[in-house]
Amino acid sequence: MPTETPSPPDIVRGSTDGADCANCPFARDDAPIHPVVGEGPASPLFIAIGEGPGRVEGQTGRPFVGPTGQRLMQAFTETGITRDQVYLSNATLCQPHPAATEKDKHAAATACRTRLERELMGFPDRPVLLLGGVATKSLLSTV
């Protein structure tokens, strides 16, 4: 079984505090399954929020390290931004199961909304880049 990949020492990590796992379709026994919390610098250039962790993220415990994260990091690099300048997180803590529907994803985002809002309160006045519909709806509308 893969072990958690350590993050660099100057990186802050989010928490599972505030997650309503009892109402999440991706949790088991009212607890997150392989939760992936946010991580990044204490004073990021901006915050990027995705939909949820993928398989590689669930295995390593770090956000945006799988294929999608590699593409995102490539796009950042092409604009002169490095991973260590951005706080990375997701609307949901857990990887969606293979048969997850959009309704399931939105229910998971609703269950994680308070957790994500608490996480973002640690970065007042930082711009937030919402990546995709679930992430956008998780913060800007009722999911």
Side-chain angles (χ1 to χ4, degrees):
M1 170 172 250
T3 59
E4 182 175 317
T5 304
S7 53
D10 59 341
I11 297 296
V12 296
R13 292 188 48 89
S15 166
T16 61
D17 292 349
D20 180 13
C21 297
N23 290 307
C24 179
F26 306 145
R28 184 181 310 131
D29 299 325
D30 297 343
I33 302 169
H34 306 296
V36 177
V37 297
E39 71 173 32
S43 297
L45 185 62
F46 63 93
I47 300 154
I49 306 292
E51 176 180 302
R55 182 184 54 80
V56 176
E57 289 80 5
Q59 291 173 338
T60 63
R62 295 189 62 208
F64 292 96
V65 294
T68 300
Q70 290 172 7
R71 286 192 296 275
L72 181 62
M73 294 312 115
Q74 181 180 0
F76 284 172
T77 299
E78 290 173 5
T79 61
I81 298 168
T82 61
R83 181 183 180 96
D84 62 355
Q85 293 177 297
V86 182
Y87 187 86
L88 302 164
S89 192
N90 285 293
T92 64
L93 282 171
C94 302
Q95 177 185 0
H97 52 75
T101 64
E102 285 302 305
K103 184 177 178 181
D104 293 334
K105 292 174 185 178
H106 289 292
T110 298
C112 270
R113 186 177 192 154
T114 299
R115 179 222 29 108
L116 182 58
E117 289 171 345
R118 286 181 184 176
E119 189 172 30
L120 293 175
M121 283 192 286
F123 306 100
D125 304 320
R126 294 286 96 198
V128 177
L129 172 63
L130 298 169
L131 304 166
V134 172
T136 301
K137 288 178 183 177
S138 75
L139 288 176
L140 299 181
S141 67
T142 305
V143 239

